[in-house]
Amino acid sequence: MSKLIIGNSFNDYLVGDLNSFDPLERTIGGNISLRLVWLAEPGDLVVLPQPVNPEFVAYIMDFKGVPADSVTILVPPPGEFGTDVLTTDRLTEPAFEQLLLKEARARGVDQVLPYVFDTVVVRICEELGLDTSAPNLAFLKEGGSDLLNSKSMFRLIAAGAGVATADGVATHSREHAERFVLDQFALGHPVIVKQDFHQGGHGNEILAPSAGVTQIGAGALTVLDRPGALASHLAQRWPFYSNDERNKVVIEHYVPDSIPVGAEVEINDTGATVLHVGEMRMTPVFDGVILPGETTTKAQREEFRAATERLGKTIHALGYRGLINIDGIVSPDDEVRFTEYNGRLGGTTHLHWLGLTVAGGDYTDRAVFVSNNDWQVASFTAAIAELRAQGLAYDAERSSGVVITCDHTQQSGAIEYCVIGPNSESVAHTEAALKNLF
């Protein structure tokens, strides 16, 4: 039997308005779905938005020790946004739907693993006769993913679970938002404005009452230090923030110089299990992780883990089953605050597979993993050759080195990598050497 993997990252469900994206950002957003090939086993069927470099697939399969052609990859015809992202119009194109069903049945697919389990994927499950393959399909059919990918709903659920969030509001009202921001500005506090549905820090903007605020976790920062500037700004930006009035807007006290942290959690019938806790690299939006961390203390990460487990129990009680990524911050005064959740696969799902494979279930106790999403290289082939020539490529005997985790070279001339080593010093040394290659 086998599984159907669907790489629907940055689709028209997860992102408020795909038209608002810079085309390069949009194509890279879809390209991150290629990470899911790491989760594929022989006989699996993978649906991706973009054609994949065969060298990258061969690299992954060689790492896994299986033939390069043991996994079948399908790419639907272009849609409204070409082959940038896996949108509804592409997945539901009649000829492709028939091909997908034929290929899935030929392989005896009995499990569907999407990046996000939206209602289009629920429909695919029903057409395949896999209504029972996900224990919470009824929950998902009713739009359960909306509940677990909404930042406004997150604040409500977090409050009910008793975990701390930043002071904030989730509102449809521009006037309500303006009053909250003015109150925060009066205290000298910047705020962060978030679109209700988005990912990776995109769709976030920091508003500051004065200059000098560090921009982390948001794609934009605006200083509003003149009378009337806030009202004018909100009038102009509210359609973007609210996705043309369709969604609530989340506005929170932004704490500068905080350390972004995150956890991936598996929720199944027996409960919620925290798979790992780590720090997020932001430049200024999500650009990689450090597992288990280098700036936070073990005590801070354990506090975050314990609160994540409490939140996970609440999410389990709601009926959700699957992976969920939960984010937060550690403030300069040592306070742990939660910021959002995403009921889907995330930026560390493939790294969890990698950790289990190279170090075992206690991988964050036995090794350090540092990833980066934007290493500019001459080509995928050249990057692999240089890593091997310089002795930096991952060595199974030493259980350390560099693994190429995603290939963006056709889109932006970049690749993603993960450096694995026994400690932070070793990993830092390897990453510094890697940065000097091109």
Side-chain angles (χ1 to χ4, degrees):
M1 308 303 277
S2 61
K3 61 182 177 292
L4 167 62
I5 298 173
I6 302 176
N8 55 343
S9 64
F10 274 77
N11 64 8
D12 41 355
Y13 165 74
L14 280 175
V15 176
D17 181 7
L18 283 165
N19 283 296
S20 68
F21 263 76
D22 173 85
L24 179 59
E25 280 189 323
R26 189 170 58 228
T27 192
I28 293 174
N31 184 259
I32 68 171
S33 293
L34 275 59
R35 300 170 184 163
L36 272 62
V37 179
W38 285 100
L39 309 181
E41 300 298 334
D44 286 352
L45 184 62
V46 184
V47 179
L48 296 174
Q50 303 169 11
V52 188
N53 180 354
E55 287 186 86
F56 178 58
V57 176
Y59 171 84
I60 293 176
M61 296 305 150
D62 180 65
F63 191 98
K64 295 168 78 74
V66 300
D69 61 355
S70 62
V71 170
T72 301
I73 295 175
L74 298 179
V75 178
E80 180 183 357
F81 299 98
T83 59
D84 285 355
V85 290
L86 205 55
T87 43
T88 300
D89 59 342
R90 299 181 68 193
L91 280 172
T92 58
E93 195 275 329
F96 178 76
E97 273 196 303
Q98 291 303 309
L99 174 64
L100 178 60
L101 295 178
K102 176 185 174 182
E103 295 287 345
R105 286 168 179 155
R107 285 162 181 74
V109 165
D110 60 351
Q111 180 187 0
V112 180
L113 178 64
Y115 185 83
V116 60
F117 227 125
D118 59 17
T119 53
V120 177
V121 178
V122 171
R123 169 181 162 179
I124 292 171
C125 286
E126 292 176 326
E127 290 176 345
L128 284 172
L130 298 177
D131 298 40
T132 59
S133 68
N136 59 335
L137 202 67
F139 174 81
L140 296 167
K141 187 176 181 179
E142 297 299 326
S145 285
D146 294 350
L147 184 69
L148 278 305
N149 285 285
S150 161
K151 295 178 178 65
S152 61
M153 288 304 303
F154 166 76
R155 289 188 59 82
L156 187 156
I157 299 298
V163 301
T165 58
D167 291 341
V169 296
T171 181
H172 284 292
S173 166
R174 180 156 55 92
E175 291 73 20
H176 184 194
E178 184 175 351
R179 288 196 301 273
F180 175 78
V181 177
L182 285 173
D183 287 343
Q184 292 293 307
F185 278 11
L187 297 171
H189 296 165
V191 300
I192 185 166
V193 186
K194 304 175 180 179
Q195 288 183 329
D196 203 8
F197 290 87
H198 224 306
Q199 62 183 88
H202 299 283
N204 295 353
E205 183 173 1
I206 298 166
L207 306 182
S210 58
V213 174
T214 304
Q215 180 183 341
I216 295 292
L221 185 152
T222 301
V223 177
L224 302 170
D225 56 359
R226 300 186 311 277
L230 173 62
S232 176
H233 179 86
L234 289 178
Q236 179 185 12
R237 294 285 284 168
W238 197 256
F240 171 76
Y241 293 153
S242 64
N243 195 17
D244 291 326
E245 308 283 351
R246 288 192 288 271
N247 300 325
K248 287 184 176 181
V249 178
V250 175
I251 309 174
E252 298 173 339
H253 171 206
Y254 174 75
V255 185
D257 304 317
S258 295
I259 304 166
V261 293
E264 186 159 58
V265 183
E266 182 179 23
I267 298 180
N268 55 32
D269 284 342
T270 61
T273 302
V274 178
L275 302 180
H276 54 242
V277 171
E279 297 171 16
M280 293 183 284
R281 293 173 136 182
M282 297 286 189
T283 59
V285 295
F286 183 75
D287 196 32
V289 298
I290 304 169
L291 300 175
E294 65 177 4
T295 306
T296 53
T297 65
K298 185 174 182 179
Q300 289 168 336
R301 294 192 294 270
E302 286 303 315
E303 181 181 351
F304 183 76
R305 176 186 289 271
T308 297
E309 289 174 346
R310 294 201 305 274
L311 186 56
K313 291 178 181 178
T314 298
I315 296 166
H316 173 268
L318 292 172
Y320 178 74
R321 301 293 182 268
L323 291 179
I324 187 165
N325 291 267
I326 299 175
D327 299 342
I329 59 171
V330 178
S331 69
D333 56 0
D334 200 33
E335 289 188 338
V336 173
R337 293 284 183 270
F338 284 73
T339 55
E340 64 179 72
Y341 57 20
N342 298 283
R344 53 171 173 75
L345 278 61
T348 61
T349 304
H350 62 304
L351 301 181
H352 176 65
W353 178 91
L354 194 60
L356 291 176
T357 301
V358 305
D362 57 348
Y363 59 89
T364 55
D365 294 327
R366 300 177 58 192
V368 173
F369 299 76
V370 172
S371 72
N372 181 273
N373 296 347
D374 188 23
W375 180 33
Q376 295 292 315
V377 298
S379 68
F380 179 83
T381 304
I384 295 296
E386 279 294 303
L387 288 171
R388 289 171 176 164
Q390 300 301 321
L392 299 175
Y394 180 77
D395 183 336
E397 290 187 4
R398 294 186 292 111
S399 297
S400 64
V402 181
V403 179
I404 302 302
T405 52
C406 200
D407 175 24
H408 305 312
T409 51
Q410 296 178 33
Q411 292 76 22
S412 65
I415 58 178
E416 298 182 13
Y417 63 78
C418 180
V419 183
I420 303 170
N423 52 55
S424 296
E425 293 75 15
S426 169
V427 167
H429 177 78
T430 300
E431 187 172 34
L434 172 151
K435 292 290 189 180
N436 289 326
L437 294 184
F438 293 96

